[in-house]
Amino acid sequence: MAEVEEEQQQQNSSVDQGDTDEIITEGASVVRGKLPEDDAGPPKVDSEVEVLHEKVTKQIIKEGHGQKPSKYATCFLHYRAWAESTQHKFEDTWREQQPLELVIGKEKKEMTGLAIGVNSMKSGEHALLHVGWELAYGKEGSFSFPNVPPTADVLYEVELIGFDETGEGKARGDMTVEERIGAADRRKMDGNALFKEEKLEEAMQQYEMAIAYMGDDFMFQLFGKFRDMALAVKNPCHLNTAACLLKLQRYDEAIAQCSIVLAEDENNVKALFRRGKARSILGQTDAAREDFLKARKLAPQDKAIARELHLIAEHEKAVYQKQKELYKGLFGPRPEPKPKSRNWLIVIWQWLLSLFYMLFRRKTRKDD
């Protein structure tokens, strides 16, 4: 079982010895939830229809876990929304890479139906909501952003990342810097506990909630010690998410998480190591070697980095030998031609002809 490291100073020390997928909490921008598979339209769902309200129904796509949020809970969710009549998608937080923060009971009027649906969901639950126009954008619709036709029933594909009851309806924008960082740090620690139990999907939900407390708009306002405090929570959440994604074999997403950290701290050894590992598995050998070489320069004594570089070298050597054997067969020396078998009937016939010719010449000379 991987152990959770708690010290910030370990960020630039050696990569985890013995378990290179070990989670690191050394030190949240927004985690991108796993994108739905296609953009063809609302998902087709066969599960039972649950009536939540006269104007709101729900079908579960994926079951969640734990409790449901209560009134004034701060919920974090990803969703896509379509006008049912036109099938026009007008919002998609997965594409925007920015979860929605929704305080139950304090939502905007046009999100009343969405809030009713979210109030019935558990953390990690993925569902399709059908909301009547009366609890959505109303009789007038919206002609700015988002663009929603008048009297449009709305279909929502929703994933509840998680929720926080402790704020008692206090939105992120109303929190102090310390409160936001503290809320994010609690989520990070919850994620660490779930990781140790091998509950990787649930752990990632906690990290995503932690990161949602520290979106780009918040980070841009910070400097000095407050920025350092925020990064000490934000970066490890991305790195821990990358560790989960590596275990789940979602390598492209792991690369993206590490790249977010490296954009802030280009010398982060663990981000370089994990990105290199994901790239290596995907066959991006040159890019992986570049990450590992930079990591080795920063941590020259680290055995895990040396091992990965050795594996790349061995792999390239094997590929070279295989290609050499292949080319040897294609361009090697031409084989000697085999002697043609002789037809003895033809040989005898030729001998008889030559004998007849010699006798004929001898007779001709004698006559002369």
Side-chain angles (χ1 to χ4, degrees):
M1 179 72 67
E3 296 180 356
V4 180
E5 297 178 11
E6 295 296 339
E7 298 297 329
Q8 165 67 19
Q9 61 265 30
Q10 291 180 355
Q11 175 173 334
N12 292 317
S13 64
S14 65
V15 178
D16 318 303
Q17 301 296 332
D19 183 358
T20 53
D21 282 336
E22 184 177 348
I23 194 163
I24 308 301
T25 61
E26 69 274 353
S29 247
V30 174
V31 174
R32 176 175 176 172
K34 191 173 184 180
L35 284 171
E37 294 298 326
D38 63 84
D39 267 343
K44 307 299 181 184
V45 186
D46 297 327
S47 60
E48 182 181 354
V49 176
E50 180 182 355
V51 179
L52 305 177
H53 181 276
E54 183 183 359
K55 298 294 180 180
V56 183
T57 62
K58 180 180 81 169
Q59 291 176 277
I60 295 176
I61 299 172
K62 177 187 173 184
E63 294 283 353
H65 55 86
Q67 302 298 315
K68 299 176 182 178
S70 61
K71 190 174 183 179
Y72 301 131
T74 301
C75 301
F76 298 94
L77 56 132
H78 275 301
Y79 75 100
R80 300 193 297 173
W82 295 264
E84 185 179 28
S85 58
T86 63
Q87 297 289 291
H88 163 65
K89 185 176 73 173
F90 59 85
E91 281 193 297
D92 188 340
T93 64
W94 276 288
R95 293 295 180 195
E96 297 164 5
Q97 301 186 33
Q98 180 69 55
L100 173 71
E101 176 190 19
L102 181 69
V103 178
I104 302 294
K106 292 188 176 183
E107 68 278 352
K108 296 178 181 178
K109 182 179 178 181
E110 62 268 22
M111 291 191 171
T112 303
L114 176 62
I116 291 172
V118 171
N119 197 196
S120 74
M121 298 173 68
K122 299 177 181 179
S123 293
E125 184 175 324
H126 195 170
L128 180 67
L129 303 178
H130 180 282
V131 177
W133 62 267
E134 298 89 343
L135 298 182
Y137 288 83
K139 188 174 182 179
E140 301 298 327
S142 174
F143 291 94
S144 56
F145 181 82
N147 183 11
V148 185
T151 62
D153 292 344
V154 177
L155 291 171
Y156 291 102
E157 181 184 1
V158 184
E159 180 189 6
L160 179 59
I161 301 166
F163 57 90
D164 194 345
E165 299 281 7
T166 59
E168 297 182 353
K170 197 171 187 179
R172 286 175 296 179
D174 298 328
M175 293 181 178
T176 65
V177 171
E178 291 90 341
E179 286 176 330
R180 287 182 73 158
I181 295 174
D185 191 55
R186 286 193 297 275
R187 289 297 176 184
K188 182 192 74 174
M189 299 305 295
D190 290 343
N192 293 345
L194 289 165
F195 182 92
K196 292 176 71 174
E197 297 173 12
E198 294 293 324
K199 297 178 179 178
L200 303 179
E201 295 282 0
E202 295 174 28
M204 287 195 295
Q205 290 166 2
Q206 295 300 314
Y207 297 136
E208 186 164 9
M209 286 185 62
I211 291 168
Y213 275 105
M214 289 177 286
D216 292 337
D217 56 340
F218 175 68
M219 295 299 296
F220 287 151
Q221 301 174 39
L222 302 182
F223 58 91
K225 72 171 185 177
F226 289 116
R227 184 170 180 81
D228 292 339
M229 288 169 59
L231 288 174
V233 178
K234 175 181 179 293
N235 282 349
C237 284
H238 287 297
L239 289 172
N240 295 351
T241 300
C244 292
L245 291 167
L246 282 170
K247 285 180 174 288
L248 293 170
Q249 299 181 10
R250 290 159 57 179
Y251 303 117
D252 286 323
E253 294 172 76
I255 290 171
Q257 292 300 314
C258 294
S259 296
I260 291 172
V261 176
L262 291 167
E264 184 70 43
D265 177 11
E266 64 179 359
N267 293 326
N268 189 294
V269 175
K270 293 182 175 69
L272 288 166
F273 180 84
R274 290 187 179 147
R275 188 173 72 174
K277 189 165 185 178
R279 284 173 164 177
S280 180
I281 293 171
L282 290 175
Q284 301 170 9
T285 308
D286 291 339
R289 185 192 298 104
E290 183 179 344
D291 282 341
F292 288 135
L293 287 174
K294 186 171 183 179
R296 186 175 66 178
K297 186 176 180 180
L298 295 165
Q301 303 302 318
D302 191 274
K303 295 180 180 178
I305 298 171
R307 182 167 59 249
E308 293 296 330
L309 284 168
H310 177 71
L311 288 173
I312 288 179
E314 288 296 311
H315 172 73
E316 290 185 329
K317 182 179 178 181
V319 170
Y320 171 76
Q321 290 296 332
K322 187 175 181 180
Q323 291 176 341
K324 185 177 179 181
E325 292 298 321
L326 175 64
Y327 294 145
K328 182 179 178 181
L330 291 175
F331 305 110
R334 296 177 63 181
E336 292 293 331
K338 294 181 179 179
K340 295 181 180 180
S341 60
R342 304 182 68 179
N343 191 320
W344 290 104
L345 288 175
I346 295 176
V347 171
I348 293 170
W349 176 248
Q350 289 175 341
W351 180 78
L352 289 172
L353 284 176
S354 62
L355 179 61
F356 176 78
Y357 178 74
M358 289 174 61
L359 291 172
F360 175 77
R361 289 291 302 269
R362 185 178 298 173
K363 184 177 184 301
T364 305
R365 290 196 189 106
K366 185 181 287 187
D367 291 342
D368 291 341

